[in-house]
Amino acid sequence: MKKMTIGAILFSMMFANANAQSLKSPDGKFEMNFQLKQGVPFYNLKYNGAIVVEDSKLGLRLFKDTSIKFASEIAKPEDAKFDLNNGFTKISEKRDSKNETWQPILGEKKNYINHYNEMAVTLDQASTERSIIIKFRLFNDGLGFRYEFPQQNNLNYFIIREEDTEFDFPSDMKAWWMVADYDSQEYQYQETNVSEIPARWEKAFDSNASQTLIKDAVQSPLMLKKEGKQPLYINVAEAAVLNYPVSHLEVNTNEFKFKTHLTADRQGAKGYIQTPSVTPWRTIIVSPKAEVVMDSKMIFNLNEPTKYKDTSYIKPTKYMGVWWEMIIGKSQWAYSTSNNVHIGKTDFTTLTPNGKHAANNAKVKEYIDFAAENGFQGLLIEGWNTGWEDWFGHSKEFVFDFVTPYPDFDIKMLNDYAHSKGLNLIMHHETSGSATNYERWADKAFQLMNKYGYKSVKTGYVGDIIPRGEHHYSQWTINHYYRIAEKANDYKIMVNSHESMRPTGESRTFPNYISAEAARGTEYEAFGGNNPDHQTILPFTRWMGGSMDYTPGIFQTKLDYYFPGDKRFVKTTLAKQLALYVTMYMPLQMAADLPENYKKHMDAFQFIKDVAADWDDTKILSAEPGDYVVTARKAKGTQNWFVGGITDENKRDYTLDFSFLDAGKKYEATIYEDGKDADYINNPQSYNIYKKQITSKSKINMKMVRSGGFAISIKPI
């Protein structure tokens, strides 16, 4: 615990009582207090009367003008007068409340409840004749707050040096975190105390295609747990990151304090602002139950409703892909043996084929046949377009044109063939980080998609961002992602973005931004590997702000099947792969393995065929970050339920209570579980399938082996 003298505590309490403005949640369990201490804004947060967040500073530091000069990123004492973090007096406050129910276009539940009390405090900085608003919203599951900048004579344009929002916790806690990086979230999660983060930090990352690490800082969402007789789970994140950089969290281990650290551009600037403007919301979700934190929809509620006039084209999609065989090294994206090609100039018909190009007519037709026969709606095809020969590692701006297929890919014939089978091909637009090039070609690329009937696109941003000096999470690039989403909406196209920013609830505003990667997905099982606890942490972190294209469904987990002696393997059982379709929310849902591997296990593959991708209801039955997750979901528009349970590297017994089902009804449950001799290392393909009649009063003891799981399909009789 932090040390403070009794006198200091009493003085602080007296000062707070005299100056604080209080806000309570609708259910009265949360209380937020705001105050000015010698002109500096602070807030704190209580839950059931106990301090969750101690007095924490608020404010921003600015550059002194809107023209950044050489070395001006070095702060000087005289620049402090330009900052928006001190010298304030409170001139007004406004209160409001809302209790509404809204329906996401695609979501984990049919209805999301948005219920909060609000307090907006206007602060005046007399020395500069500027004012700002700090707006707080207190929900029944936590707090959201942001800065607002009204247009005014002395605040029209400004450049942010740094945002200094603090989250000051009273004691050390367990934390699930990954290293902060301006360009990647594809790291393993770490589980340590907050005080242990710096000691672990240097060992907490591996190399990445684009990497700009922030020493002793972590990414959000950050999951915390106060342990003891009265445990408390806390999630620190952000919502509605628009026209603003992604934030990270610097850690102060002596004070158990975190402070925002915004992603910079090459000039050191963190944001170019024109008023009126607002920042993203800073969010703190709190509950004594991990399941409540995981189930929170606060981040979505803090985003604005969509302004799209037509959302009828936005639909859940189950798909397969010509993809995994390239990831594991069995095939290639590139068509030829050349390592130097010029888009628009090179005649690819004269190049020597490498013999391993996956996106060829014959192979794609085989994938189409299998996907269509098994009821999938889409087929992703990567490597269809020219440019893959030298696509990575050269900072090449004109790397793809997104409209020219390789000689062995007949785009018209294959789309016609897919449509004749009731299937749509899914477009792939890898940019190699060249966002400027993608914006130049986006209209032509989407016009081509409309011409051939593509409904969705997977975008990718592997490598350093162009314009050079920008980062994947800097303000310019954030705006780029949403320019692409808005342009895609003009063409009625859904977007699944990889290597982009993690979602912060914006699917409410941009519902065609159907999914994203923005974390370490299944592909890393073939690269550096994912730890067995990885999938039990993601729902508490990456998934808090939106769905992820995790690409599960790998049945052939041992890669020495393809390459004798290869030590790589997917660190789960087959049954756990099935369970991921329920524990992970994926409205764009991939069956990632090769058709040949599914054909050997069609009985298990049946669950992937049956499971829904959009939901009327979700129940988090039991969960502990880093250990296990058990989730039940009700398929949209039906009475069918699906249950998934997963565990970490420890085997686990779980008694599944079906009381979430309607009373008085009978159901047939098809249960897919780990075999008695299953083990994610030694025998991952051992599983057992059986049927059982159940009711809401039924209970079944489920046994999960190491990194194992279970999946259940439930239909009313």
Side-chain angles (χ1 to χ4, degrees), residues 69 154 235 260 278 291 321 357 410 417 434 465 523 562 605:
K69 301 176 179 63
N154 288 350
N235 185 278
T260 54
V278 300
E291 296 85 356
H357 182 229
D410 187 332
Y417 185 74
S434 185
I465 291 294
E523 65 185 10
Y562 310 102
F605 188 57

Side-chain angles (χ1 to χ4, degrees), residues 221-289:
L222 169 68
M223 190 67 188
L224 301 166
K225 181 184 180 182
K226 176 187 174 184
E227 298 184 286
K229 294 182 179 179
Q230 294 181 316
L232 201 64
Y233 297 86
I234 303 168
N235 185 278
V236 180
E238 58 185 339
V241 180
L242 302 166
N243 193 30
Y244 205 83
V246 165
S247 72
H248 314 271
L249 296 166
E250 298 175 3
V251 60
N252 178 335
T253 55
N254 293 326
E255 298 292 326
F256 315 125
K257 180 190 300 184
F258 294 90
K259 187 193 79 66
T260 54
H261 177 116
L262 303 180
T263 303
D265 67 7
R266 62 181 175 181
Q267 298 189 99
K270 303 293 181 87
Y272 301 83
I273 308 299
Q274 178 181 358
T275 61
S277 184
V278 300
T279 70
W281 297 88
R282 306 292 161 221
T283 64
I284 308 169
I285 300 169
V286 183
S287 177
K289 295 183 178 180

Side-chain angles (χ1 to χ4, degrees), residues 565-581:
D566 196 318
K567 302 299 183 183
R568 297 174 296 163
F569 69 103
V570 180
K571 296 179 178 63
T572 77
T573 64
L574 189 152
K576 185 176 182 179
Q577 288 290 312
L578 298 180
L580 295 177
Y581 287 90

Side-chain angles (χ1 to χ4, degrees), residues 54-85:
E54 295 182 325
D55 285 355
S56 301
K57 289 183 183 179
L58 299 167
L60 300 96
R61 285 175 280 145
L62 310 183
F63 286 94
K64 66 180 180 181
D65 55 40
T66 57
S67 177
I68 299 179
K69 301 176 179 63
F70 178 73
S72 65
E73 70 273 14
I74 301 172
K76 304 176 182 65
E78 60 268 26
D79 293 342
K81 63 184 178 182
F82 299 101
D83 295 336
L84 290 171
N85 60 8

Side-chain angles (χ1 to χ4, degrees), residues 382-636:
E382 296 197 5
W384 69 276
N385 58 316
T386 58
W388 286 91
E389 283 76 5
D390 60 355
W391 74 284
F392 176 73
H394 307 295
S395 193
K396 181 180 178 182
E397 185 174 18
F398 191 14
V399 60
F400 297 111
D401 68 10
F402 311 102
V403 297
T404 306
Y406 276 126
D408 60 347
F409 186 87
D410 187 332
I411 189 169
K412 182 181 186 305
M413 180 274 291
L414 289 171
N415 276 281
D416 288 346
Y417 185 74
H419 297 160
S420 73
K421 302 270 186 172
L423 191 78
N424 286 301
L425 300 187
I426 295 176
M427 179 55 75
H428 184 228
H429 289 163
E430 175 56 58
T431 69
S432 191
S434 185
T436 51
N437 182 55
Y438 192 29
E439 291 199 12
R440 283 198 299 270
W441 284 90
D443 279 301
K444 289 183 179 179
F446 293 151
Q447 288 164 9
L448 182 84
M449 290 180 63
N450 282 175
K451 177 180 179 180
Y452 291 113
Y454 290 88
K455 306 294 185 184
S456 58
V457 59
K458 173 185 175 181
T459 61
Y461 294 87
V462 177
D464 293 337
I465 291 294
I466 300 175
R468 299 174 183 91
E470 293 291 346
H471 295 284
H472 287 74
Y473 313 140
S474 57
Q475 181 188 31
W476 186 93
T477 316
I478 300 305
N479 290 341
H480 161 80
Y481 299 139
Y482 291 106
R483 284 194 293 269
I484 292 298
E486 288 181 310
K487 186 173 288 292
N489 175 60
D490 292 341
Y491 292 93
K492 309 303 179 192
I493 289 169
M494 297 182 290
V495 177
N496 168 27
S497 186
H498 281 228
E499 295 86 32
S500 58
M501 65 171 287
R502 52 174 160 67
T504 58
E506 296 89 352
S507 61
R508 185 182 185 189
T509 311
F510 304 91
N512 68 319
Y513 204 152
I514 186 175
S515 195
E517 184 187 37
R520 200 173 174 113
T522 297
E523 65 185 10
Y524 267 84
E525 301 282 13
F527 302 160
N530 292 331
N531 293 331
D533 65 353
H534 185 63
Q535 301 91 354
T536 69
I537 300 171
L538 284 170
F540 292 97
T541 51
R542 164 60 184 80
W543 250 277
M544 293 298 293
S547 67
M548 178 181 174
D549 186 26
Y550 190 78
T551 64
I554 304 302
F555 282 11
Q556 182 52 58
T557 59
K558 300 276 193 173
L559 298 194
D560 63 359
Y561 170 81
Y562 310 102
F563 315 107
D566 196 318
K567 302 299 183 183
R568 297 174 296 163
F569 69 103
V570 180
K571 296 179 178 63
T572 77
T573 64
L574 189 152
K576 185 176 182 179
Q577 288 290 312
L578 298 180
L580 295 177
Y581 287 90
V582 185
T583 62
M584 295 177 164
Y585 170 58
M586 298 172 289
L588 190 64
Q589 187 187 90
M590 187 181 197
D593 210 340
L594 311 185
E596 66 189 64
N597 296 325
Y598 290 135
K599 290 177 181 178
K600 298 173 186 175
H601 304 280
M602 290 302 291
D603 54 351
F605 188 57
Q606 187 64 44
F607 182 82
I608 298 179
K609 293 169 61 175
D610 290 343
V611 69
D614 195 26
W615 309 98
D616 271 343
D617 199 7
T618 291
K619 307 285 187 184
I620 312 302
L621 301 181
S622 187
E624 178 68 17
D627 289 345
Y628 56 88
V629 174
V630 182
T631 303
R633 302 189 194 268
K634 185 180 182 183
K636 181 155 287 186

